[in-house]
Amino acid sequence: MDLDLRITEKQDLFIHSEAFETLFGGAAGGGKSYGQLVDALIYALTYEKSKQIIFRRTFPDLERSIIRTSMELYPRQIASYNSSKHTWTFQNGSIIDFGYIDNENDVYQYQSAEYDVIRFDELTHFTEYMYTYMISRCRGANGYPKHIKSSTNPGGVGHVWVKERFIDIGKYGEVHECRLETGEKTTRLFIPSFVTDNKFLMENDPDYVKRLDALPEKERKALK
């Protein structure tokens, strides 16, 4: 079936990133979570029987945001959602799980898991240990491309380590070769997000920027 997916230029860069670790970060309203869901959908349809997971710190966070959006976006003709398992299952056998890591011990729920793509929504809400542990779950013998893809606004408990890992390594928009804690090589890409990048939001809710401007200075700078 033909999917009528409208995306921004920054979302397109995120979807087509070939880096092992990609961060789509910055302003609120930049379309980051939507980009995650479109990217996950395209991957699921491209690679049959592929496995992906999207993380937030808690299930209520997932249900209020990215799960709700997925219900509006994903066509029922090609996929079904199991609300008890928090899983989308596609006709070609691909799955997209939704998971939580509320504290560092929660990572051990995924100790034996295998995923082709692991996604963090609001990465700065997670600790560095949560993130690096889950890198070990990105594996599989199917030959599919493996990725860790994240989206986030500034701030939160993980702000410092996320900045060091993705922003301080060099010019944004370029893939940088780095080393994992194990000494193995990895590639990282930071794609900055600005509210003005999201032409669909600007067209349909032009007063959104004015509401951001009304916030206290610290919050305004972070969200813009």
Side-chain angles (χ1 to χ4, degrees):
M1 65 178 297
D2 292 329
L3 300 174
D4 183 19
L5 300 173
R6 300 198 303 164
I7 59 173
T8 67
E9 290 184 9
K10 291 291 182 66
Q11 289 166 345
D12 186 63
L13 289 174
F14 181 72
I15 291 166
H16 289 97
S17 171
E18 295 183 356
F20 177 62
E21 299 176 63
T22 302
L23 175 65
F24 189 13
K32 300 179 297 297
S33 296
Y34 183 83
Q36 281 276 28
L37 287 170
V38 171
D39 187 27
L41 173 61
I42 293 171
Y43 191 98
L45 295 177
T46 302
Y47 301 101
E48 64 178 23
K49 298 183 180 179
S50 60
K51 298 176 183 177
Q52 302 179 77
I53 189 166
I54 303 176
F55 284 114
R56 286 290 299 262
R57 279 295 291 258
T58 69
F59 264 126
D61 289 337
L62 284 164
E63 290 167 344
R64 283 191 295 263
S65 57
I66 205 158
I67 289 178
R68 186 176 297 170
T69 304
S70 76
M71 300 290 284
E72 299 171 356
L73 177 64
Y74 290 179
R76 299 305 191 277
Q77 302 96 310
I78 58 173
S80 60
Y81 182 67
N82 186 313
S83 58
S84 61
K85 293 182 178 180
H86 308 284
T87 298
W88 280 99
T89 302
F90 291 78
Q91 290 179 353
N92 67 359
S94 294
I95 64 167
I96 300 173
D97 287 334
F98 294 101
Y100 73 93
I101 307 176
D102 193 23
N103 61 71
E104 292 191 338
N105 286 332
D106 287 335
V107 298
Y108 300 116
Q109 300 177 88
Y110 309 100
Q111 196 165 20
S112 60
E114 279 190 4
Y115 289 102
D116 299 296
V117 184
I118 295 175
R119 303 175 183 275
F120 289 86
D121 193 42
E122 296 298 349
L123 182 60
T124 58
H125 291 185
F126 296 85
T127 68
E128 187 172 16
Y129 176 75
M130 295 170 178
Y131 179 84
T132 55
Y133 180 89
M134 289 310 304
I135 287 177
S136 68
R137 305 301 93 197
C138 187
R139 58 183 183 172
N142 54 23
Y144 295 165
K146 303 294 186 283
H147 298 288
I148 309 290
K149 289 198 162 183
S150 305
S151 48
T152 197
N153 293 321
V157 65
H159 180 88
V160 172
W161 76 260
V162 171
K163 181 175 180 292
E164 290 175 349
R165 192 175 189 95
F166 288 97
I167 299 173
D168 294 345
I169 59 174
K171 187 177 180 180
Y172 65 75
E174 295 182 0
V175 177
H176 298 275
E177 188 173 281
C178 308
R179 288 193 179 274
L180 295 171
E181 292 72 10
T182 59
E184 297 176 357
K185 291 182 179 180
T186 186
T187 50
R188 294 180 186 142
L189 171 65
F190 171 59
I191 301 169
S193 167
F194 302 97
V195 64
T196 49
D197 294 330
N198 191 344
K199 61 182 179 180
F200 308 115
L201 178 63
M202 292 293 93
E203 291 171 1
N204 296 318
D205 189 5
D207 290 335
Y208 177 66
V209 174
K210 295 179 182 178
R211 295 197 291 274
L212 290 180
D213 287 336
L215 293 171
E217 183 179 5
K218 181 179 179 181
E219 288 78 9
R220 181 176 69 251
K221 286 183 177 180
L223 295 177
K224 288 191 69 177

